[in-house]
Amino acid sequence: MISRKDEPFSRSIQNYLKVIYSHTRENRPVSTLGLAEALDVKPASVTNMLQKLDEFEPRLVNYQKHHGVSLTEDGEKEALRVIRRHRLIEQFLYEVLGYSWDRVHSEAEELEHVISPYFEDRLAEFLGEPAFDPHGEPIPNRDLEVTQDESIIPLSLLPVGKKAVVRRVTAGPQELLAYLGEIGLHPGKGVEVVERNPLDGTSRVLVDGMEKFFGVGVTGAVFVSVAE
Amino acid sequence: MISRKDEPFSRSIQNYLKVIYSHTRENRPVSTLGLAEALDVKPASVTNMLQKLDEFEPRLVNYQKHHGVSLTEDGEKEALRVIRRHRLIEQFLYEVLGYSWDRVHSEAEELEHVISPYFEDRLAEFLGEPAFDPHGEPIPNRDLEVTQDESIIPLSLLPVGKKAVVRRVTAGPQELLAYLGEIGLHPGKGVEVVERNPLDGTSRVLVDGMEKFFGVGVTGAVFVSVAE
DNA sequence: AAAATAATTTAGCCTGGACTAAATTAAACA
DNA sequence: TGTTTAATTTAGTCCAGGCTAAATTATTTT
Ligand SMILES: [Mn+2]
Ligand SMILES: [Mn+2]
Ligand SMILES: [Mn+2]
Ligand SMILES: [Mn+2]
C-alpha cells in the first residue's frame, strides 16, 4: 500500500497510464510487451512499474500477473487529465505558434507533464475551449468527458464513389503525417475513393482536387464521415 | 572527466547554473550555503553537484573547495539559455494567458526546462521578440546578449522630489509582488518619493496617484530611471 | 595563538526508474 | 499430452540526485 501524499504522479507514471488508456480502447487488457514497445522501455521495467501501480492507494490499475493490465476509474481519470493537457497543447502549438501538425506531438509529450491546472484552464479559455486537436482527436472537457463521434469510419471502409469529409488522422510516423499534411489531407477536407484494389485494399483517392494512391496503412489511419 | 554525449543538461543542472549566474552578478564566487538556500537543498547536496559540474567536459564551473564557485564561459552560456526561456515564458503567461505577474515565476520555473529550441523561437516570434519580461528583467536575445540599462537606480536612492519611471521590480516573495501589482507599481509607471525617513530609509511614495509607505526592503527591490 | 563557532566536505544511505540475465509461466504445436 | 517457443516475471545492478551524520577546514573571538 503506497500512500498518495498529494504529490502529482510522476512523468513516468503519467506516460504509463496514458498508454494503457489508449491501448485498452481497442484490445482489452494490455500486454507487458505492448506497453514496453509503446513506451520504449524493456519488458522487465514494465512489470516493475505495473507492480508499483497496482499497489497505489487509491489503486490506479488492475494488474494480474501474466494477464495484462487495465485502468481503474481513478487510473482512467488521471489518464484523461494527461490526454486533455496533451491535446490542448497540440492545439496551441498548431493554431497559435504555427507548428506543422507533425511536429506538435513530440513537444506536447513533454509539456503535458509540466503545466499546472491553472495553466491548463487559462490555455483552454484562450483557445476557446476547443473540442478537437489538430489531428481531429477529441479533447476531453473540464469534466474529462470525451465526445466520441460514432459515425466516423476509416477511409479504408469508405465505399468507392461516396463523398466524405476527413475527421481524424491518427498519428502515425512523423514523416507520414508530414506528407499527408502537405497534400492537404486535414480534418474538414473532402475526400472520395475513386477506385479500390480488391486484393490488397490499395485505393486511389481524390483529395484536395488531386488524386493520390494509398495503401491500407494510410487509409486505416484516416477517419472520415460520409457526407449526409 | 564526464563526456557531454550531446544530451541536454538535466533540470537540476540547469537550475544550479541559473542560480550561480544570478548570484555571481553581485557577490563573486557563490557559497555552498547560498546555493543550498536558493535551491532549497541541503549544503551537502550542493557540494556533491558542484564536484560533478566541475568535471564536466567542457567545464561548466570553476569550483575550488571551500572557496565557492563561478561559471565558465560555457556555464554562463547555458545559464543564459535557461534564463531566456524563463523570461520568454513569463512574458507569454502574462501577456497572452493573462496571468498576474506574481504567478508567472513558479510556472516558468518548470517550463524553462522542457521547451524545445524550436518552441523558444516560435514563441519569441509570436511575442514580437520582447526585450523585457513582466518584471522588467531583460530577456537575453537569440545570441544571448543581455541589454543592461546602466542608468537605473533603486527607488531607495531616488532623491526626494525627483520624478522617475519604474523600470524593474525584482521578484521578492509572491505576496509582495501581488501587492505591488495591485497598487499599480509596474514597469512604465511614474513614481516620486515625497518624503524619506533619514533614520531607517522608510519612504512615502507617490504611485499611480496614491501615496504609499515602503520600507527599504521594498524600495531596494524597485528600480527606476529618473525622468530626463 | 588557542578556542569556539560557522561553513563545507566526506561517507554512507535512499528512492525512482531504468537495465540485463536468469527463471518461470503460458500458449502453440505435434 | 509432452515439447518447443514466446511472453512475463524475478533477481540483482546502475545512475541521478537527493538526504543525514560525522569529519574537516575557515573564520572569529578571546
Ligand atoms: Mn509524455
Ligand atoms: Mn494529436
Ligand atoms: Mn527551474
Ligand atoms: Mn521575471
Side-chain angles (χ1 to χ4, degrees):
Chain A
M1 195 187 333
I2 295 172
S3 65
R4 266 290 277 99
K5 296 172 195 161
D6 201 40
E7 284 156 11
F9 297 103
S10 75
R11 116 173 9 213
S12 249
I13 291 179
Q14 290 180 2
N15 282 333
Y16 274 87
L17 294 178
K18 213 176 51 156
V19 172
I20 296 172
Y21 177 86
S22 347
H23 278 230
T24 44
R25 290 294 77 179
E26 302 142 15
N27 34 324
R28 293 270 93 197
V30 203
S31 71
T32 301
L33 203 66
L35 289 179
E37 265 166 32
L39 291 161
D40 193 24
V41 142
K42 297 291 185 256
S45 306
V46 172
T47 298
N48 218 312
M49 179 60 101
L50 293 183
Q51 289 169 348
K52 254 193 304 201
L53 250 35
D54 194 49
E55 47 199 31
F56 254 80
E57 194 57 51
R59 184 161 302 230
L60 295 173
V61 305
N62 294 312
Y63 167 59
Q64 311 240 87
K65 265 189 187 185
H66 295 280
H67 294 87
V69 250
S70 57
L71 297 176
T72 62
E73 282 280 306
D74 287 308
E76 183 167 322
K77 274 255 172 64
E78 178 62 15
L80 285 169
R81 274 189 274 271
V82 181
I83 289 171
R84 172 169 163 81
R85 293 197 294 268
H86 183 102
R87 295 183 180 165
L88 280 173
I89 290 162
E90 283 194 348
Q91 184 64 10
F92 165 74
L93 297 174
Y94 185 75
E95 283 296 336
V96 181
L97 294 193
Y99 274 57
S100 60
W101 75 347
D102 57 296
R103 296 195 69 153
V104 299
H105 184 78
S106 62
E107 191 92 44
E109 199 57 53
E110 296 299 319
L111 287 165
E112 66 188 1
H113 309 296
V114 161
I115 70 174
S116 70
Y118 186 75
F119 184 111
E120 175 190 319
D121 285 349
R122 296 283 66 72
L123 183 64
E125 187 183 330
F126 175 69
L127 294 173
E129 309 290 343
F132 296 95
D133 81 2
H135 310 103
E137 308 219 62
I139 302 176
N141 68 16
R142 284 157 308 289
D143 298 329
L144 303 181
E145 294 152 352
V146 185
T147 65
Q148 43 212 3
D149 193 338
E150 291 307 327
S151 68
I152 76 177
I153 56 171
L155 184 53
S156 55
L157 295 184
L158 180 66
V160 174
K162 275 235 184 293
K163 291 188 192 312
V165 176
V166 177
R167 292 302 180 196
R168 179 153 58 85
V169 181
T170 295
Q174 166 152 0
E175 307 74 36
L176 173 59
L177 217 44
Y179 171 69
L180 295 180
E182 269 167 30
I183 65 175
L185 198 87
H186 280 112
K189 286 296 178 73
V191 276
E192 182 183 338
V193 177
V194 299
E195 187 186 351
R196 178 173 289 122
N197 181 326
L199 295 174
D200 61 3
T202 307
S203 307
R204 282 201 293 135
V205 177
L206 199 61
V207 41
D208 223 19
M210 306 285 288
E211 226 179 77
K212 302 287 174 181
F213 239 82
F214 300 131
V216 287
V218 172
T219 53
V222 174
F223 292 82
V224 304
S225 59
V226 178
E228 81 302 327
Chain B
M1 193 190 329
I2 294 174
S3 64
R4 267 289 277 99
K5 295 174 195 164
D6 201 41
E7 284 156 10
F9 298 103
S10 74
R11 119 175 4 216
S12 248
I13 291 178
Q14 291 181 2
N15 283 331
Y16 274 87
L17 295 177
K18 214 176 48 158
V19 171
I20 296 171
Y21 177 86
S22 347
H23 277 230
T24 43
R25 290 293 79 180
E26 302 142 17
N27 34 325
R28 293 269 90 197
V30 202
S31 70
T32 301
L33 204 65
L35 288 179
E37 265 165 31
L39 290 162
D40 193 23
V41 141
K42 297 290 185 258
S45 305
V46 172
T47 298
N48 218 312
M49 178 61 101
L50 293 182
Q51 288 168 348
K52 254 192 306 203
L53 251 34
D54 194 49
E55 47 200 30
F56 253 82
E57 194 56 52
R59 185 161 302 231
L60 296 173
V61 304
N62 294 312
Y63 167 59
Q64 312 240 88
K65 267 190 186 187
H66 295 280
H67 294 87
V69 251
S70 57
L71 297 176
T72 62
E73 284 279 308
D74 287 309
E76 183 166 322
K77 274 255 173 66
E78 179 62 15
L80 285 169
R81 275 185 216 111
V82 182
I83 289 171
R84 170 169 165 82
R85 293 197 294 268
H86 183 103
R87 294 182 182 165
L88 280 173
I89 290 162
E90 283 194 347
Q91 185 64 8
F92 165 74
L93 297 174
Y94 185 75
E95 283 296 335
V96 181
L97 294 193
Y99 274 56
S100 59
W101 77 347
D102 57 296
R103 296 196 68 153
V104 299
H105 184 80
S106 62
E107 191 92 42
E109 198 57 53
E110 295 299 319
L111 287 165
E112 66 188 0
H113 309 296
V114 161
I115 72 174
S116 70
Y118 185 74
F119 184 110
E120 175 190 318
D121 286 348
R122 295 283 66 73
L123 184 64
E125 186 185 329
F126 176 69
L127 295 173
E129 309 290 343
F132 296 95
D133 81 2
H135 311 103
E137 309 219 60
I139 301 177
N141 68 16
R142 283 158 308 290
D143 298 328
L144 303 181
E145 295 152 352
V146 186
T147 66
Q148 43 211 3
D149 192 339
E150 293 305 329
S151 68
I152 74 178
I153 56 171
L155 185 53
S156 55
L157 295 184
L158 180 67
V160 173
K162 275 235 184 291
K163 289 188 194 310
V165 176
V166 177
R167 293 301 179 196
R168 181 152 60 84
V169 180
T170 295
Q174 164 150 4
E175 306 74 35
L176 173 59
L177 215 44
Y179 171 69
L180 295 179
E182 269 167 31
I183 66 175
L185 197 87
H186 281 113
K189 286 297 179 70
V191 276
E192 183 184 339
V193 177
V194 299
E195 186 186 353
R196 177 173 290 124
N197 181 327
L199 295 174
D200 61 4
T202 308
S203 308
R204 282 201 295 137
V205 177
L206 198 60
V207 40
D208 222 21
M210 304 285 289
E211 228 179 76
K212 303 286 173 181
F213 239 83
F214 299 131
V216 287
V218 171
T219 55
V222 174
F223 292 82
V224 304
S225 59
V226 177
E228 81 303 326

